[in-house]
Amino acid sequence: MLTPFKNEPYTDFSRPENRKQMEAALARIEADFNRTWPLVIGGRDVKSGGKIKSYDPSNKEQVVGTVEKATAADADAALTAAWKAFDSWKHTTPEERAGLVVKLAAKMRERKHELSATMVCEVGKSWAEADGDTAEAIDFCEFYAREAIRYGAKHPQCPWPGERNELEYIPLGAGVAIPPWNFPLAILTGMTVGPVAAGNTMVVKPASDAPVIAAKMIALSREAGFPDGVINFVPGSGSDVGETLVASPKTRFINFTGSRDVGLHIVEEAARHRNGQRWIKRVTAEMGGKDAAIVDSEADLDAAAEGVVTSAFGFQGQKCSACSRAIVDAKVYDEFIEKLVARTKRIKVGPTRDPSNWMGPVVNKASFDKTMEYIKAGSREGRLLCGGEASDAQGYFIQPTVIADVSPTAKMAREEIFGPVLAVIEARDFDHALEIFNSTDYGLTGGVFTRNEAKIEKARHECFCGNFYINRKITGALVGVQPFGGYNMSGTCSKAGGSDYLLLFLQSKSICQRL
């Protein structure tokens, strides 16, 4: 019997013993940089011949690990292995499956600092951001294990004379997880163990910028005792492995988190019927945002500045939930900007192995170049208040950038940047701010800062987004507390970490017995 779900606590790195443990973990993983991780297909370690090298974005010449690079044939073999494993996995009890998922959580807890240290080096997360990522991965395991048991229980229907009527939930089959690099442990874990806890089997294709942390998660799942073929691991290119998995008639469902363009392509390809395909593929997609915080004339401006800066520049703005627009009432526009810039200038940028650096690098050269192009365009469209400086001599570092006087219709007010850039937009009044808030194609996260209860109530109903926050930062959704997922071009509102998530990977069966 599992105890009620509780979120994994964050590590307090102000305590000397915790700092020492993290420093030791960083040293341990550095000693392992030369390791090459295999593909895992049907429980077998597979070498493919090709390699994917993962580099530290704080030190772009430093390899942090290597994984075997899968081919289209490997992807097909992994789907075959997943279906073979499904034959027996679908008959396991929810309690058996939940037990293994909880065991995986325990393995992660034992190696919490090692997993976090890997993300510090592989994607440039700060200590706190990496620790939060690991805690969320543990939360997904614990929460979905309990959800699997809930869905696996009896579901009596309305009584009818002379009959017993029940509804039960059964798994879909072999699915594909295509997770992103920005939460390379948490999202990968949730996208994998949710369907697995529900009785499905999975083929995982991690992001090429974060394959090492993915390989470590797969290794821990094997230690936890998942049967061969239940979780398969095929890192590779999107054009080869990704396309094969999405298009294959063997794929029953696709669980994707990433960019809008890739997500829409997956939806389109999944809708095509292929020879031998006996189902309509189900797609769960989370595809980013252009998130905003409204700062009202009746807001606590100090709290608003703190919330906006934390939301905009945490993990270098590389979160689909990041605040990339601050929509500010004209009455407090100048005063808020002054506080916002002062708070932004306190951010220290540098290699995140040093815990004093609150902000690290963007993930790679392409992201660096794209962000700098947006800064150049934004500087023409608006007024550069701070930031804009950058260097990719050693790592991909960009100073947190604030651009004011941005038009609601400007490029940087409409397109997802995925970097440390904040657009500040002036609104005539509160109603105009609501109009600007809803003017993009996205609908993921957002928030409002105001002391006025009537305005809070209006914003609750009028701001069209999947996660809405009042008088706090708009990032940092907790599993089981703030189920996460958005509307419109932000995706299918899959609500990761919520009570309806596992239902995306189940189908219902009505059973009627004559008495």
Side-chain angles (χ1 to χ4, degrees), residues 157-196:
Q157 304 303 295
C158 295
W160 188 256
E163 294 179 356
R164 180 187 296 118
N165 290 283
E166 294 178 329
L167 186 80
E168 67 179 32
Y169 292 100
I170 62 175
L172 298 175
V176 171
I178 305 176
W181 54 262
N182 63 329
F183 285 84
L185 180 61
I187 295 181
L188 174 140
T189 299
M191 290 174 65
T192 303
V193 302
V196 163

Side-chain angles (χ1 to χ4, degrees), residues 38-41 46-52 67-79 203-205 233-246 248:
L39 313 179
V40 180
I41 300 174
V46 175
K47 292 184 178 181
S48 63
K51 301 286 186 290
I52 299 173
V67 299
E68 296 286 338
K69 184 176 183 180
T71 63
D74 294 320
D76 183 71
L79 282 167
V203 177
V204 180
K205 192 207 88 65
F233 182 59
V234 284
S237 71
S239 60
D240 192 12
V241 173
E243 289 290 342
T244 298
L245 293 172
V246 167
S248 174

Side-chain angles (χ1 to χ4, degrees), residues 148-162:
I149 293 171
R150 182 173 71 85
Y151 274 107
K154 294 287 185 184
H155 298 273
Q157 304 303 295
C158 295
W160 188 256

Side-chain angles (χ1 to χ4, degrees), residues 236-490:
S237 71
S239 60
D240 192 12
V241 173
E243 289 290 342
T244 298
L245 293 172
V246 167
S248 174
K250 297 178 185 177
T251 297
R252 179 63 182 85
F253 64 91
I254 301 156
N255 199 6
F256 169 78
T257 298
S259 72
R260 180 183 69 174
D261 290 347
V262 175
L264 292 177
H265 174 71
I266 287 172
V267 169
E268 183 179 3
E269 287 300 307
R272 300 174 186 269
H273 179 264
R274 267 84 178 186
N275 290 335
Q277 183 177 317
R278 301 175 64 186
W279 43 69
I280 301 170
K281 290 177 185 173
R282 194 178 290 183
V283 177
T284 300
E286 198 273 276
M287 305 189 302
K290 191 63 182 175
D291 313 302
I294 294 172
V295 181
D296 177 48
S297 61
E298 299 176 82
D300 177 335
L301 296 186
D302 290 314
E306 180 66 31
V308 168
V309 167
T310 304
S311 303
F313 301 122
F315 189 38
Q316 298 76 269
Q318 298 174 129
K319 300 179 183 181
C320 52
S321 58
C323 179
S324 58
R325 297 179 296 153
I327 305 167
V328 186
D329 191 295
K331 296 185 189 70
V332 294
Y333 188 76
D334 292 336
E335 185 181 357
F336 175 75
I337 280 177
E338 186 178 334
K339 293 177 182 293
L340 176 71
V341 171
R343 177 61 184 85
T344 301
K345 286 182 176 179
R346 284 165 40 200
I347 293 174
K348 187 181 175 188
V349 179
T352 49
R353 286 194 65 159
D354 179 350
S356 70
N357 291 322
W358 189 82
M359 215 179 90
V362 296
V363 73
N364 58 29
K365 174 67 171 170
S367 180
F368 180 89
D369 290 343
K370 175 187 172 187
T371 303
M372 293 309 297
E373 284 301 315
Y374 273 105
I375 290 173
K376 289 176 187 174
S379 298
R380 293 191 297 269
E381 294 175 336
R383 176 165 48 109
L384 180 66
L385 297 180
C386 64
E389 302 92 355
S391 172
D392 61 351
Q394 181 175 2
Y396 303 110
F397 296 101
I398 301 173
Q399 292 295 318
T401 301
V402 178
I403 299 175
D405 306 343
V406 175
S407 165
T409 60
K411 180 177 180 179
M412 70 170 302
R414 293 296 184 93
E415 298 180 10
E416 186 177 40
I417 300 174
F418 228 65
V421 184
L422 173 68
V424 186
I425 303 169
E426 184 175 1
R428 294 187 301 271
D429 52 29
F430 192 71
D431 285 342
H432 187 219
L434 294 176
E435 181 185 325
I436 296 168
F437 183 99
N438 291 323
S439 66
T440 77
D441 293 338
Y442 295 96
L444 187 52
T445 72
V448 64
F449 290 89
T450 183
R451 296 187 183 97
N452 185 307
E453 288 296 330
K455 289 176 178 176
I456 288 173
E457 193 62 22
K458 189 169 189 178
R460 284 168 65 104
H461 294 288
E462 296 297 328
C463 290
F464 193 70
C465 60
N467 286 70
F468 190 68
Y469 302 92
I470 300 162
N471 291 324
R472 58 150 280 181
K473 66 177 183 172
I474 68 170
T475 56
L478 286 169
V479 173
V481 181
Q482 295 114 3
F484 186 82
Y487 311 148
N488 292 351
M489 286 300 164
S490 286

Side-chain angles (χ1 to χ4, degrees), residues 13-34:
F13 288 116
S14 70
R15 296 170 66 98
E17 63 271 26
N18 291 337
R19 289 175 71 97
K20 286 181 181 176
Q21 289 174 7
M22 186 64 169
E23 288 165 354
L26 284 162
R28 282 198 304 276
I29 68 146
E30 185 176 355
D32 211 25
F33 279 174
N34 291 326

